[in-house]
Amino acid sequence: MRAAKLQIGVITGTHGIRGLVKVLPVTDDPKRFTELDTVYLRRKDGREQILKISSARLHKNNVLLGFEGYEDINQVEDMKGCELLIDRDKAAPLENNEYYFADLIGMRVERVTDSGTELLGELAEIMETGANDVFVVKRVEGGEVLIPSIADCIREVDVDNGKMLVTLLPGME
């Protein structure tokens, strides 16, 4: 099941008094913000609104964004903690064996066994580490298992059918 919109950042605070917001990008290429005309702001209560970008620039590990009609710090103060999203058709194209996190979360995870496959659980979270991503799978019987996103563990990812096949290495049981 593919997400219609993809998260590209989270507003972490304001910058200055002229209505700029500081955004922590959750995209591989923060420069993408400078190419966008609009974004969706998803408020904490789930409501979404379209915002037209008036300015975008990189600042340290963040992006500073300005929105049309928001020229004062008081107008953007309540945006802290809100997500920024884009339509899927505006997302950067993917290479083979690359996936958007939004398409993986909630995916059914099955373990490859000697006799076939068995349901392990659901992909609940993806942790980004320096070496490789780690998939947090909520087990059917309770608890969780951490599975590194490496070829030895991830056998198949079927986004269209919402299913992932994995092999657990010794010690991961």
Side-chain angles (χ1 to χ4, degrees), residues 92-109:
L94 296 173
E95 300 290 328
N96 276 347
N97 296 320
E98 287 185 336
Y99 310 95
Y100 295 113
F101 285 2
D103 293 337
L104 300 179
I105 300 295
M107 187 173 274
R108 175 185 174 97
V109 179

Side-chain angles (χ1 to χ4, degrees), residues 55-127:
S55 67
R57 66 181 167 99
L58 302 177
H59 179 71
K60 300 181 182 176
N61 294 327
N62 296 293
V63 178
L64 299 180
L65 287 182
F67 302 115
E68 282 189 11
Y70 295 84
E71 282 84 31
D72 183 272
I73 188 173
N74 297 318
Q75 296 175 291
V76 297
E77 190 73 39
D78 67 337
M79 293 182 183
K80 288 181 190 175
C82 295
E83 299 174 352
L84 295 177
L85 305 106
I86 58 171
D87 288 314
R88 174 179 285 283
D89 62 359
K90 291 185 180 175
L94 296 173
E95 300 290 328
N96 276 347
N97 296 320
E98 287 185 336
Y99 310 95
Y100 295 113
F101 285 2
D103 293 337
L104 300 179
I105 300 295
M107 187 173 274
R108 175 185 174 97
V109 179
E110 296 181 9
R111 175 184 177 191
V112 177
T113 66
D114 293 335
S115 59
T117 64
E118 65 184 20
L119 180 61
L120 182 63
E122 180 179 295
L123 183 59
E125 180 184 349
I126 301 172
M127 297 187 309

Side-chain angles (χ1 to χ4, degrees), residues 16 33 41 106 116:
F33 281 90
L41 176 77

